Amino acid sequence: MRPQASIAGFALSPPASSPAIRAVARPALRINAISQESAMNRIISPQAWKLIAKTLGVDEACLRSVAQVESSGGGFMRSPSQLPKILFEGHVFHRRTKGRFGASHPGLSYPRWDRSKYSGSMAGEWKRLDAASALDRVAALESASWGAFQIMGFNYAACGFDDVDAFVAAHKESADAQLAAFAHFISRPKFLDALRGRNWKGFAAAYNGPEFAKNRYDTKLATAYVRFAAQSQ
């Protein structure tokens, strides 16, 4: 069993090759996210932003920019909902289930990305996820992007978790836990080198995929960075 680290009251299993992320789990960042049903666990704490940025050696404004582009800076739905933001990707579900639900559930399982399949609301995306979960729960959870940084569920291991259920639990638990998962995920050279050098195209290609330019992902990151960098001065 790997040593357990904790941030925001949620136990994480940091990769042995990532000592920087192990340093993130300090008592100063622990909060009782289970019993604290307030805005605090829905918003990434200033202390968490600063500690993650220092630990990774990345400008805090860079990290905030990713969250801004991915989720408008917030990882949870509007109150009174306590659920994290998600987006269910039916083409991923189709791939992970080998297309066996394509004929019976074409709105949930289809071979190629199709914007028209999205519900148009966070509540609607949860309904889609619930419906897919009734068909294949694990594949469904792995086929949604989660939280403030919209990380796909199938990336759970790269985020330091043993299974997708633990990954999902963290994203439901608190905003700081979402940040910790993101820190694990980007603790690899292809992400860190790009962020440290503010190479927006390089980070966009690694994080958003080769077609990032269609959504102006790199440009949005650059714009968000200017805003957050100015606020920190």
Side-chain angles (χ1 to χ4, degrees), residues 82-142:
Q82 295 293 312
L83 293 172
K85 292 180 179 178
I86 65 161
L87 194 63
F88 180 73
E89 301 288 3
H91 66 293
V92 177
F93 184 68
H94 187 86
R95 183 169 66 245
R96 301 192 78 78
T97 57
K98 299 183 176 9
R100 68 181 187 273
F101 302 113
S104 59
H105 296 79
L108 300 174
S109 178
Y110 35 91
R112 289 173 296 279
W113 180 79
D114 184 346
R115 183 186 297 274
S116 70
K117 301 291 187 181
Y118 294 138
S119 66
S121 71
M122 286 293 147
E125 288 303 297
W126 269 98
K127 290 180 179 178
R128 296 178 73 223
L129 176 60
D130 288 343
S133 294
L135 302 174
D136 187 322
R137 189 182 65 83
V138 171
L141 296 178
E142 292 178 346

Side-chain angles (χ1 to χ4, degrees), residues 42 76-83 85 122:
R42 297 170 59 88
F76 286 86
M77 294 171 60
R78 293 180 180 177
S79 297
S81 174
Q82 295 293 312
L83 293 172
K85 292 180 179 178
M122 286 293 147

